[in-house]
């Protein structure tokens, strides 16, 4: 597998450092092991943080790893690998950081997780 990608990441933080965000885009062409044709792949990433809250999103088109490519070929011969992932987490400390609380939810939609998978954790 051989890929050539252009990547761009932008970051921003508020003056008081309570808010921050990262946006990323990767795009390019890829040559898969069992194909003579090159294909297109891209990934869009986003992250937002506010003190104790964190939100992440990711959309991927095309296999970035050989394992993704191999498993997607096993599950669906002629379908391009796609993935959507969303997650939100809360992390908070209490009593002078003697007690910590973490909770979150993650949603993933791809060929490996049976299309829709929501995971809640505390």
């Amino acid at each position: 597998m051989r890929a050539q990608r252009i990547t761009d990441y932008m970051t921003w933080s508020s003056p008081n450092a309570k808010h921050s965000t990262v946006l990323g885009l990767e795009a390019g062409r890829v040559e898969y092991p069992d194909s003579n044709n090159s294909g297109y792949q891209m990934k869009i990433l986003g992250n937002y943080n506010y003190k104790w809250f964190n939100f992440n999103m990711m959309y991927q088109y095309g296999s970035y790893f050989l394992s993704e490519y191999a498993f997607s070929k096993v599950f669906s011969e002629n379908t391009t690998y796609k993935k959507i992932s969303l997650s939100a987490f809360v992390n908070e400390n209490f009593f002078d950081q003697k007690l910590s609380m973490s909770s979150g939810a993650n949603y993933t939609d791809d060929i490996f997780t049976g299309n829709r998978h929501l995971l809640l954790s505390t």
Side-chain angles (χ1 to χ4, degrees):
M1 187 162 139
R2 190 168 64 187
Q4 294 85 34
R5 295 183 209 118
I6 295 174
T7 62
D8 185 36
Y9 287 86
M10 297 181 296
T11 62
W12 173 82
S13 292
S14 65
N16 61 4
K18 290 184 180 180
H19 301 269
S20 67
T21 187
V22 177
L23 296 173
L25 174 65
E26 301 177 4
R29 62 186 279 285
V30 61
E31 295 174 9
Y32 294 114
D34 64 347
S35 176
N36 292 331
N37 301 325
S38 60
Y40 176 73
Q41 63 179 198
M42 77 159 189
K43 191 182 286 189
I44 300 170
L45 306 156
N47 174 275
Y48 171 75
N49 287 298
Y50 174 73
K51 291 190 208 175
W52 47 265
F53 177 72
N54 183 297
F55 176 77
N56 296 289
M57 61 75 78
M58 189 269 297
Y59 173 75
Q60 178 181 325
Y61 179 88
S63 303
Y64 268 53
F65 302 100
L66 281 174
S67 59
E68 291 173 344
Y69 181 71
F71 281 115
S72 65
K73 291 296 261 182
V74 167
F75 288 116
S76 181
E77 186 80 20
N78 295 319
T79 302
T80 301
Y81 178 76
K82 296 175 200 153
K83 181 177 184 175
I84 296 173
S85 180
L86 304 168
S87 63
F89 291 90
V90 174
N91 299 298
E92 188 61 62
N93 294 310
F94 303 97
F95 307 115
D96 293 325
Q97 298 192 4
K98 292 179 183 174
L99 176 65
S100 296
M101 192 265 313
S102 295
S103 185
N106 181 41
Y107 170 83
T108 302
D109 184 349
D110 72 353
I111 199 163
F112 303 131
T113 57
N115 288 342
R116 289 181 178 77
H117 184 72
L118 179 65
L119 176 65
L120 301 172
S121 63
T122 55

